[in-house]
């Protein structure tokens, strides 16, 4: 036999070793996994509606992780790392979008506070604020107490009432996740 046509090596049990996995196939599988991490992260940073597309990516990652875990291969740990990276990208995207919402709402908060100092009470409607506040916000509808915030997140103003003496600003950042400014505590918080 020629050196290029050598038969497969036989181990001591008399059986041929399993065929080597196609290297291109393994590289493609990992490229797809890392691509999923990038897609999930970018969608989380982009906008509220864009992240909805990640519903297509998460099930594939979880099925891939479950099958490798079932087979008890070393690849399970790497698949788990991919899922963790996707989750970290998602959290980073949420934090980024929350900072955007806070930045966009800062002029509204300042105008509401100025109004309170000048009139002794908070406005009942945002249309009572100066028009300069609304020119900086996209799709502002001050009569409806709302505007379109960062990445398409709907935001609205909650006026004070008998139960709550302070106002609030709430933006829906993802499905049911809300990011709210509490004027009594002067801080933002997220809730579901």
């Amino acid at each position: 036999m020629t050196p290029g046509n050598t038969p497969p090596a036989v181990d001591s049990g008399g059986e041929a070793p399993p065929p080597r996995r196609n290297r291109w196939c393994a590289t493609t599988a990992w490229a797809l996994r890392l691509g999923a991490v990038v897609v999930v992260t970018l969608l989380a940073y982009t906008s509220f509606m864009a992240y909805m597309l990640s519903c297509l990516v998460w099930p594939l990652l979880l099925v891939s992780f479950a099958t490798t875990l079932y087979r008890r291969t070393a690849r399970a740990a790497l698949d788990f790392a991919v899922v963790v990276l996707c989750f970290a990208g998602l959290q980073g995207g949420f934090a980024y979008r929350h900072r955007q919402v806070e930045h966009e709402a800062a002029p509204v908060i300042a105008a509401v506070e100025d109004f309170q100092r000048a009139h002794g009470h908070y406005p009942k409607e945002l249309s009572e604020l100066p028009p300069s506040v609304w020119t900086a916000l996209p799709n502002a509808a001050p009569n409806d107490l709302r505007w379109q915030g960062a990445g398409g997140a709907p935001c609205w103003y909650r006026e004070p009432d008998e139960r709550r003496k302070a106002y609030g600003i709430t933006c829906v950042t993802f499905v049911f996740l809300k990011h709210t400014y509490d004027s009594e505590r002067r801080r933002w918080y997220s809730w579901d």
Side-chain angles (χ1 to χ4, degrees), residues 19-192:
R20 283 183 43 170
R21 189 166 175 198
N22 185 344
R23 188 169 281 183
W24 182 85
C25 186
T27 303
T28 303
W30 274 105
L32 289 174
R33 285 179 177 89
L34 292 178
V37 170
V38 170
V39 166
V40 167
T41 301
L42 289 178
L43 289 175
Y45 274 79
T46 304
S47 75
F48 168 75
M49 295 308 288
Y51 185 73
M52 297 299 280
L53 295 174
S54 72
C55 296
L56 304 172
V57 175
W58 277 103
L60 296 174
L61 288 173
L62 294 176
V63 165
S64 172
F65 175 62
T67 57
T68 54
L69 192 61
Y70 175 74
R71 293 179 186 157
R72 297 177 187 209
T73 63
R75 218 175 72 207
L78 296 175
D79 280 349
F80 179 72
V82 168
V83 171
V84 168
L85 286 173
C86 281
F87 185 75
L90 173 67
Q91 294 303 313
F94 283 165
Y96 170 76
R97 298 206 41 247
H98 289 166
R99 285 190 305 271
Q100 270 189 313
V101 165
E102 291 172 16
H103 177 72
E104 284 183 356
V108 177
I109 293 168
V112 168
E113 294 295 333
D114 289 345
F115 183 93
Q116 196 274 340
R117 280 190 290 279
H119 297 92
H121 62 87
Y122 292 111
K124 290 193 180 279
E125 294 182 358
L126 292 179
S127 58
E128 297 176 46
L129 298 178
S132 61
V133 173
W134 302 110
T135 56
L137 295 173
N139 300 322
N143 292 333
D144 295 336
L145 306 177
R146 65 182 171 82
W147 70 91
Q148 203 72 22
C155 298
W156 66 90
Y157 170 79
R158 178 187 42 81
E159 65 179 306
D161 55 22
E162 296 80 36
R163 194 180 66 148
R164 287 175 261 163
K165 301 300 179 199
Y167 69 93
I169 293 176
T170 300
C171 299
V172 179
T173 54
F174 175 68
V175 188
F176 302 112
L177 183 63
K178 297 164 192 75
H179 198 56
T180 299
Y181 178 74
D182 180 358
S183 64
E184 284 183 318
R185 294 185 181 101
R186 306 225 185 277
R187 69 176 182 90
W188 287 88
Y189 64 95
S190 296
W191 58 284
D192 191 358

